[in-house]
Amino acid sequence: MFSNQNLLSSEVLSSGYSFHSKKYHYNQKEGLPYYLIRLQTEGTSSALVEGTMIPIAPGDLLLYQPGDPYELLIEDSKSSGDYYIFCQGNWVDAWWENADKPKKVKIPLHEGMLTIWRQLNIELLKHSQKNKEMLDYYLRILCLQIDRHIMEQTSHSPGANSYLSYRMKYYIEENAMTPITLEQVAQHVGLSVSRAVHLFKAVFDRSIMQHAIEVRLTIAKERILYSSFTLEQIAESCGYASYSYFHRMFRMHFGISPKDFRAKFS
């Protein structure tokens, strides 16, 4: 992605989860000394974006570079929770300059992104040279995930529809191993089933259930190759109550039976 990226470095200066249940005001209008990445996860706040204080809701990701003025306000009657990172380094410089970064972008609050952030926070509490290397990698993964979300939000229109569609997609991928239903997916984003089905199909050109099946079967294929589980155990672990149904779906999707696939490739 970046030239000579192995020669570049990054540094996490501060990272954590912040929750406020009382009025809070932070003001650095003279400009931030470091990069700031902030993700609102619960409640509401207001932040300075492009010279104007605007409301910030769950899923709003804020991106600031050194020199940007920054102000955060949480009203007395409201609560607010967010993940934040202050960082610096020539790798971060290259990442920032590689593509335009919006000051605010809406991203799905899916577990994959939050897990990276939590793990980064845990590593920051440890003190060793090895942990510095781990922090470097976690920060890079997080930044590249942010790039992916920005690209996803800007590659489809309208934006609100794209955001809801990706929220459904991540929900499916995180719950595909369970007997997921259309009603559960639609409820997750606050839509009717018919609206959710239409929206997902319009953005991804496949149905919700087709995507769930693809996720299950892809994971099943990996477990066939890299685990010692029996085929029946793999079928059950991937959400199939019946091995015969799993066998049929696997053959339809990959053109080979699970048994023959294991014999041929593992």
Side-chain angles (χ1 to χ4, degrees), residues 168-179:
M168 288 189 279
K169 180 175 181 287
Y170 292 129
Y171 179 82
I172 293 165
E173 291 168 355
E174 290 172 3
N175 295 277
M177 299 298 101
T178 64

Side-chain angles (χ1 to χ4, degrees), residues 64-82:
Y64 297 91
Q65 63 181 322
D68 284 343
Y70 177 64
E71 185 175 3
L72 179 69
L73 175 64
I74 299 162
E75 300 289 352
D76 192 31
S77 59
K78 298 179 180 179
S79 62
S80 172
D82 67 270

Side-chain angles (χ1 to χ4, degrees), residues 2 5 8-13 34-37 63-66 85-99 101 135-136 139-140 143 147:
F2 312 131
Q5 60 178 332
L8 303 179
S9 64
S10 64
E11 181 181 5
V12 178
L13 301 167
Y34 311 111
Y35 292 95
L36 168 61
I37 304 171
L63 299 168
Y64 297 91
Q65 63 181 322
I85 292 176
F86 288 95
C87 57
Q88 65 179 2
N90 50 16
W91 187 92
V92 186
D93 294 336
W95 168 72
W96 187 276
E97 295 168 2
N98 186 62
K101 299 292 188 293
L135 282 169
D136 181 34
L139 177 60
R140 295 185 190 210
C143 289
D147 273 349

Side-chain angles (χ1 to χ4, degrees), residues 199-218:
L199 210 57
F200 194 91
K201 178 74 172 179
V203 171
F204 299 112
D205 196 28
R206 61 183 179 274
S207 73
I208 288 172
M209 288 298 105
Q210 283 175 329
H211 185 61
I213 290 169
E214 288 177 7
V215 173
R216 287 175 184 167
L217 292 177
T218 298

Side-chain angles (χ1 to χ4, degrees), residues 177 223 231-243 246:
M177 299 298 101
R223 290 179 180 177
L231 297 176
E232 290 76 11
Q233 288 172 328
I234 290 171
E236 184 178 359
S237 72
C238 292
Y240 291 94
S242 163
Y243 177 75
F246 166 70

Side-chain angles (χ1 to χ4, degrees), residues 77-244:
S77 59
K78 298 179 180 179
S79 62
S80 172
D82 67 270
Y83 285 97
Y84 66 89
I85 292 176
F86 288 95
C87 57
Q88 65 179 2
N90 50 16
W91 187 92
V92 186
D93 294 336
W95 168 72
W96 187 276
E97 295 168 2
N98 186 62
D100 290 338
K101 299 292 188 293
K103 281 290 185 292
K104 182 174 83 75
V105 63
K106 179 75 76 173
I107 68 170
L109 293 173
H110 72 94
E111 194 60 27
M113 169 73 82
L114 299 181
T115 297
I116 295 171
W117 218 309
R118 293 184 195 118
Q119 193 61 44
L120 193 152
N121 292 342
I122 291 171
E123 291 297 330
L124 190 61
L125 297 175
K126 304 173 184 178
H127 301 283
S128 72
Q129 188 62 41
K130 187 174 182 179
N131 290 119
K132 289 182 180 179
E133 186 176 0
M134 291 284 287
L135 282 169
D136 181 34
Y137 287 129
Y138 277 122
L139 177 60
R140 295 185 190 210
I141 292 170
L142 184 67
C143 289
L144 295 176
Q145 282 273 29
I146 289 171
D147 273 349
R148 175 183 292 176
H149 287 304
I150 292 173
M151 181 185 68
E152 289 171 348
Q153 294 305 314
T154 57
S155 62
H156 295 91
S157 61
N161 289 347
S162 175
Y163 172 68
L164 292 175
S165 297
Y166 275 97
R167 281 188 63 196
M168 288 189 279
K169 180 175 181 287
Y170 292 129
Y171 179 82
I172 293 165
E173 291 168 355
E174 290 172 3
N175 295 277
M177 299 298 101
T178 64
I180 195 170
T181 66
L182 290 175
E183 288 76 11
Q184 289 172 326
V185 176
Q187 185 178 25
H188 179 69
V189 293
L191 298 175
S192 68
V193 171
S194 60
R195 178 61 177 156
V197 167
H198 173 77
L199 210 57
F200 194 91
K201 178 74 172 179
V203 171
F204 299 112
D205 196 28
R206 61 183 179 274
S207 73
I208 288 172
M209 288 298 105
Q210 283 175 329
H211 185 61
I213 290 169
E214 288 177 7
V215 173
R216 287 175 184 167
L217 292 177
T218 298
I219 293 174
K221 185 169 69 170
E222 292 175 353
R223 290 179 180 177
I224 289 172
L225 288 176
Y226 304 115
S227 81
S228 59
F229 292 160
T230 67
L231 297 176
E232 290 76 11
Q233 288 172 328
I234 290 171
E236 184 178 359
S237 72
C238 292
Y240 291 94
S242 163
Y243 177 75
S244 61

